[in-house]
Amino acid sequence: MADTSTQPTDPERNPRLADRFAAWRAGLTRPAAGFESQPEPRSIGMVARGRQLVAGNLLLGGVLVEAPGRSLWEAMAPDPGFVEAAHGFTWLDDLAAAGDLAARTRAQDWVFQWIAAYGRGKGPGWTPDLTGRRVIRWINHALMLLSGKDKDDSAAFFAALTRQTVYLSRRWKAAAPGLPRFEALTGLVCAGLALTGMERLTGPALAALAADCATAIDAEGGISTRSPEDLLEVFSLLNWAAQSLMEAGRTPPPELIGAIGRAAPTLRALRHADGGLARFHGGGRGIEGRLDHALARSGVKPMAMAGLAMGFARLSAGRTTVIVDAKAPPEGRASTAAHASTLAFEMTSGRRPVIVSCGSGAPFGADWLRAGRATASHSTLAIDGYSSSRLGQGERLTDRAQAIPARMTHGTDGQALLIGHTGWATTHGLTHMRGLELSPDGRALMGQDTLGALTGAERRRFDAVMSAVRLQGVPFSVRFHLHPDVDAQIDLGGSAISLGLRSGEIWVFRHDGVAQMSLEPSVYLEKGRLKPRATKQIVLSARVLDYATEVGWTLAKAQDTPLAIRDLERDEPPV
């Protein structure tokens, strides 16, 4: 048998080696001489973040590095999130938003330093999704990056951009399906259209993008991760691809236009009254302005959406929106970032979030990541010590809660929703049913949560559990996590909790007396913050002692103020 110990490793068996090999081969391609047409910025950044970067406060991936006077690449933190954010170059959007000479200089310095250090295929930035993300930003902000640069710098820029484009044409298939694959393919399509001599790469990339649009964007306009923010990112990418094609005088494929048309109404249904997205399954609210901008650029007109939107139910009336996770968590590969949030809801009054989820703990480390995925970190009922879906090997959710199909009604008495899940049928013999009703004027939300043993099998399991705990019952809590800007106070007598919003509105929470009510500490996990924000949660605690226990509660607006009315007057019409 031949000795294979000294033979070169097969690149296809080692993704990192395959990436480096593809990047090396891509360097053999004749560089593009320039752009086919003048690139224009499409992505949106934040002025404040751009100014912080100029000042040397590098907040990337939830990690802050204070490095005034130092290069980003000299100040790299040994954190995977920081490294990914740095090599993805979305920070270029923020520097472009700042827009002054200092921001432009910082952007140019960091891009050309990256070219010198990593432009030949070295470093952690050579993965298909990061490369697609980076290429899009380089093209978007090329005018800023090349302003005042000499011929040699321009040649180096186009050589590096060409290498990345050819690399994408060879490695996009290695990107995971979903958002990473869309990033890689959109970057390849945009670069193929923008760079001279690269148009030959556009056809195969566009065919692959069209195929993914047909399979990865389902009939509801949703994606497998069920993350609203992920859907917004995909939607923005598809918009950019379609706009690039039309500007190049080409007709976007029908699969691309169809995917945009399916996703737009879903995103509108997942948007709260304040313009932010519902925060579920690892997603945040989205960068301010990006959702409205993407919807406006898509050209898809608003339309009523019947039924669920990517598994979420929406109740809205007056200035109030309620968005409920009415489906089982994602499964398979998509479950690695999923939360055990079935039946959880968020509520917003005008521009003010009231009831929220804790959010994704990913920017704050592994412990916070796991905590944020638990049922207790969402505004719903949880049996003490148990999530409705369990976290298994590889961080995937197992024993997923099976949702009972939602029933929605709309009438003169308001909007009502009845949903349920069987997440504790195996462990405790109990099914959770939740009923929600929003009044016609949006000033009152009524809820009823029931834990019950509904079938013979569930009752036998519940009886066994009761015997094991000596008839002490099954403890559970219904939690309502509050946004940090909500001022919560227990009223005299302890029968109600007043929630004061910054708009001046006052909402009052009451319950039917079956459970014990308390106001406890909570956290709000938000991207772009250095640490979790302290907040509070309303907790209704009780025990299941029979085959069914019901807890009723109401959240009603008690007061409007002139400030709240001014908020209403500033509300913009839906896009």
Side-chain angles (χ1 to χ4, degrees):
M1 182 179 295
D3 181 8
T4 60
S5 60
T6 59
Q7 294 180 5
T9 303
D10 180 1
E12 294 306 320
R13 295 184 180 181
N14 184 326
R16 189 165 184 177
L17 183 59
D19 286 330
R20 292 192 62 179
F21 182 68
W24 173 78
R25 287 188 62 195
L28 303 178
T29 304
R30 181 191 295 265
F35 290 113
E36 290 285 356
S37 60
Q38 192 93 327
E40 293 190 11
R42 304 191 194 279
S43 43
I44 296 175
M46 298 181 67
V47 175
R49 288 185 184 179
R51 290 172 177 168
Q52 287 295 316
L53 289 170
V54 171
N57 299 317
L58 313 180
L59 179 57
L60 300 174
V63 177
L64 175 66
V65 174
E66 297 180 356
R70 297 172 62 196
S71 163
L72 168 61
W73 313 111
E74 295 173 346
M76 290 288 285
D79 178 88
F82 188 98
V83 171
E84 178 179 331
H87 285 272
F89 277 75
T90 53
W91 45 263
L92 272 179
D93 298 337
D94 300 322
L95 289 174
D100 56 16
L101 178 60
R104 187 186 75 187
T105 301
R106 187 60 51 93
Q108 291 176 335
D109 288 348
W110 289 355
V111 166
F112 284 95
Q113 288 164 4
W114 187 93
I115 292 172
Y118 307 109
R120 294 182 178 273
K122 296 181 180 179
W126 287 89
T127 62
D129 54 331
L130 282 182
T131 302
R133 196 182 309 168
R134 183 169 58 245
V135 163
I136 290 170
R137 266 65 189 191
W138 283 25
I139 294 172
N140 280 354
H141 304 299
L143 290 179
M144 174 180 71
L145 296 175
L146 295 176
S147 176
K149 289 296 181 180
D150 59 24
K151 184 176 180 180
D152 290 341
D153 283 338
S154 294
F157 177 82
F158 283 110
L161 199 49
T162 299
R163 184 189 289 260
Q164 293 173 81
T165 303
V166 177
Y167 161 84
L168 281 173
S169 72
R170 292 171 175 160
R171 288 293 291 164
W172 66 262
K173 292 181 180 178
L179 177 57
R181 179 79 57 85
F182 280 115
E183 285 187 308
L185 286 171
T186 302
L188 179 53
V189 168
C190 292
L193 293 169
L195 296 171
T196 59
M198 294 289 109
E199 188 176 4
R200 70 186 187 280
L201 303 178
T202 304
L206 192 56
L209 182 62
D212 268 23
C213 285
T215 58
I217 310 294
D218 63 26
E220 290 184 357
I223 55 177
S224 60
T225 64
R226 297 192 57 234
S227 164
E229 188 176 25
D230 280 0
L231 180 61
L232 171 57
E233 294 298 323
V234 170
F235 183 72
S236 297
L237 290 167
L238 298 184
N239 266 339
W240 296 340
Q243 291 164 20
S244 296
L245 286 163
M246 290 186 287
E247 289 169 2
R250 301 181 60 167
T251 301
E255 294 90 345
L256 175 56
I257 298 301
I260 292 173
R262 294 193 301 276
T266 298
L267 283 167
R268 286 190 173 99
L270 298 176
R271 179 178 60 177
H272 281 295
D274 66 343
L277 286 167
R279 304 189 325 143
F280 286 101
H281 297 297
R285 292 171 47 80
I287 295 175
E288 186 175 355
R290 175 174 289 183
L291 176 56
D292 287 344
H293 182 265
L295 289 170
R297 294 299 294 266
S298 73
V300 180
K301 296 181 179 180
M303 64 184 72
M305 187 169 185
L308 302 182
M310 202 165 69
F312 295 91
R314 176 187 177 92
L315 306 176
S316 62
R319 305 177 65 224
T320 304
T321 54
V322 177
I323 298 177
V324 189
D325 189 351
K327 194 174 180 180
E331 57 184 334
R333 186 197 299 266
S335 74
T336 56
H339 288 210
S341 57
T342 308
L343 274 58
F345 78 95
E346 293 189 333
M347 190 194 93
T348 296
S349 177
R351 294 179 176 270
R352 311 294 170 172
V354 184
I355 306 297
V356 296
S357 303
C358 289
S360 172
F364 308 105
D367 290 341
W368 279 113
L369 173 62
R370 292 177 69 91
R373 298 175 69 186
T375 301
S377 295
H378 300 81
S379 295
T380 186
L381 179 150
I383 291 179
D384 293 359
Y386 291 82
S387 282
S388 56
S389 299
R390 262 66 72 188
L391 196 61
Q393 293 183 350
E395 299 301 301
R396 296 188 180 187
L397 287 181
T398 61
D399 298 327
R400 295 161 57 249
Q402 297 302 309
I404 297 171
R407 290 193 304 174
M408 297 184 66
T409 59
H410 300 261
T412 56
D413 293 335
Q415 304 168 46
L417 172 69
L418 179 63
I419 48 177
H421 74 71
T422 59
W424 297 293
T426 301
T427 57
H428 296 80
L430 294 171
T431 290
H432 176 204
M433 299 296 299
R434 164 163 272 185
L436 299 173
E437 184 177 344
L438 184 65
S439 65
D441 58 6
R443 296 176 64 89
L445 176 67
M446 289 73 73
Q448 182 170 305
D449 287 287
T450 303
L451 266 182
L454 305 183
T455 67
E458 288 185 355
R459 292 185 177 189
R460 288 190 293 274
R461 179 59 186 151
F462 177 73
D463 288 340
V465 171
M466 288 293 284
S467 296
V469 299
R470 299 182 180 182
L471 304 180
Q472 294 301 303
V474 178
F476 69 92
S477 300
V478 188
R479 301 176 185 274
F480 304 84
H481 295 275
L482 305 176
H483 189 271
D485 292 340
V486 175
D487 180 21
Q489 302 289 335
I490 298 179
D491 293 350
L492 292 177
S495 61
I497 294 179
S498 296
L499 308 178
L501 312 187
R502 287 193 172 181
S503 63
E505 293 179 14
I506 296 177
W507 289 73
V508 178
F509 182 93
R510 292 184 172 89
H511 67 108
D512 60 7
V514 172
Q516 180 178 353
M517 184 173 66
S518 59
L519 192 59
E520 301 180 4
S522 181
V523 293
Y524 188 76
L525 306 171
E526 190 175 16
K527 294 178 182 178
R529 295 270 179 174
L530 293 179
K531 58 184 180 180
R533 297 175 68 185
T535 185
K536 295 178 180 179
Q537 60 177 316
I538 300 170
V539 181
L540 301 179
S541 302
R543 289 177 178 267
V544 183
L545 297 170
D546 205 341
Y547 287 144
T549 296
E550 298 179 353
V551 174
W553 50 268
T554 61
L555 185 57
K557 186 185 294 188
Q559 176 178 311
D560 278 321
T561 67
L563 180 56
I565 294 172
R566 289 198 297 272
D567 263 4
L568 176 59
E569 293 171 347
R570 289 198 302 268
D571 284 348
E572 299 176 359
V575 176

PDB file of all heavy atoms in Angstrom, residues 14 52 131 261 347 376 396 414:
ATOM      1  N   ASN A  14     -11.175  19.642   3.141  1.00  0.00           N
ATOM      2  CA  ASN A  14     -10.793  20.630   4.142  1.00  0.00           C
ATOM      3  C   ASN A  14     -11.298  21.983   3.657  1.00  0.00           C
ATOM      4  O   ASN A  14     -10.666  22.612   2.800  1.00  0.00           O
ATOM      5  CB  ASN A  14      -9.269  20.649   4.316  1.00  0.00           C
ATOM      6  CG  ASN A  14      -8.822  21.597   5.422  1.00  0.00           C
ATOM      7  OD1 ASN A  14      -9.428  22.641   5.646  1.00  0.00           O
ATOM      8  ND2 ASN A  14      -7.741  21.233   6.098  1.00  0.00           N
ATOM      9  N   GLN A  52     -17.927  56.809  15.953  1.00  0.00           N
ATOM     10  CA  GLN A  52     -17.222  56.037  16.974  1.00  0.00           C
ATOM     11  C   GLN A  52     -16.026  55.300  16.373  1.00  0.00           C
ATOM     12  O   GLN A  52     -14.956  55.215  16.996  1.00  0.00           O
ATOM     13  CB  GLN A  52     -18.177  55.034  17.626  1.00  0.00           C
ATOM     14  CG  GLN A  52     -19.193  55.659  18.573  1.00  0.00           C
ATOM     15  CD  GLN A  52     -18.525  56.280  19.787  1.00  0.00           C
ATOM     16  OE1 GLN A  52     -17.622  55.701  20.387  1.00  0.00           O
ATOM     17  NE2 GLN A  52     -18.960  57.485  20.136  1.00  0.00           N
ATOM     18  N   THR A 131     -17.092  36.818   2.008  1.00  0.00           N
ATOM     19  CA  THR A 131     -16.582  37.429   0.779  1.00  0.00           C
ATOM     20  C   THR A 131     -17.703  38.110   0.008  1.00  0.00           C
ATOM     21  O   THR A 131     -17.528  39.225  -0.510  1.00  0.00           O
ATOM     22  CB  THR A 131     -15.895  36.363  -0.091  1.00  0.00           C
ATOM     23  OG1 THR A 131     -14.843  35.745   0.662  1.00  0.00           O
ATOM     24  CG2 THR A 131     -15.312  36.988  -1.346  1.00  0.00           C
ATOM     25  N   GLY A 261     -41.653  39.432  -4.104  1.00  0.00           N
ATOM     26  CA  GLY A 261     -43.089  39.655  -3.927  1.00  0.00           C
ATOM     27  C   GLY A 261     -43.682  38.853  -2.792  1.00  0.00           C
ATOM     28  O   GLY A 261     -44.628  39.306  -2.135  1.00  0.00           O
ATOM     29  N   MET A 347     -45.489  43.101  22.173  1.00  0.00           N
ATOM     30  CA  MET A 347     -46.513  44.124  21.985  1.00  0.00           C
ATOM     31  C   MET A 347     -45.880  45.502  21.954  1.00  0.00           C
ATOM     32  O   MET A 347     -45.004  45.816  22.772  1.00  0.00           O
ATOM     33  CB  MET A 347     -47.552  44.070  23.114  1.00  0.00           C
ATOM     34  CG  MET A 347     -48.777  44.940  22.848  1.00  0.00           C
ATOM     35  SD  MET A 347     -49.797  45.191  24.330  1.00  0.00           S
ATOM     36  CE  MET A 347     -49.116  46.727  24.950  1.00  0.00           C
ATOM     37  N   ALA A 376     -38.181  30.584  29.200  1.00  0.00           N
ATOM     38  CA  ALA A 376     -38.326  31.591  30.255  1.00  0.00           C
ATOM     39  C   ALA A 376     -37.826  32.967  29.836  1.00  0.00           C
ATOM     40  O   ALA A 376     -38.122  33.961  30.506  1.00  0.00           O
ATOM     41  CB  ALA A 376     -37.587  31.131  31.510  1.00  0.00           C
ATOM     42  N   ARG A 396     -28.654  22.186  18.623  1.00  0.00           N
ATOM     43  CA  ARG A 396     -29.929  22.109  17.920  1.00  0.00           C
ATOM     44  C   ARG A 396     -31.052  21.829  18.904  1.00  0.00           C
ATOM     45  O   ARG A 396     -30.865  21.120  19.886  1.00  0.00           O
ATOM     46  CB  ARG A 396     -29.890  21.007  16.848  1.00  0.00           C
ATOM     47  CG  ARG A 396     -28.876  21.272  15.740  1.00  0.00           C
ATOM     48  CD  ARG A 396     -29.023  20.274  14.614  1.00  0.00           C
ATOM     49  NE  ARG A 396     -28.057  20.532  13.552  1.00  0.00           N
ATOM     50  CZ  ARG A 396     -28.045  19.905  12.387  1.00  0.00           C
ATOM     51  NH1 ARG A 396     -28.959  18.974  12.128  1.00  0.00           N
ATOM     52  NH2 ARG A 396     -27.149  20.192  11.475  1.00  0.00           N
ATOM     53  N   GLY A 414     -63.362  42.880  18.085  1.00  0.00           N
ATOM     54  CA  GLY A 414     -61.909  42.912  18.031  1.00  0.00           C
ATOM     55  C   GLY A 414     -61.351  41.697  17.321  1.00  0.00           C
ATOM     56  O   GLY A 414     -62.046  40.998  16.583  1.00  0.00           O
TER      57      GLY A 414
END
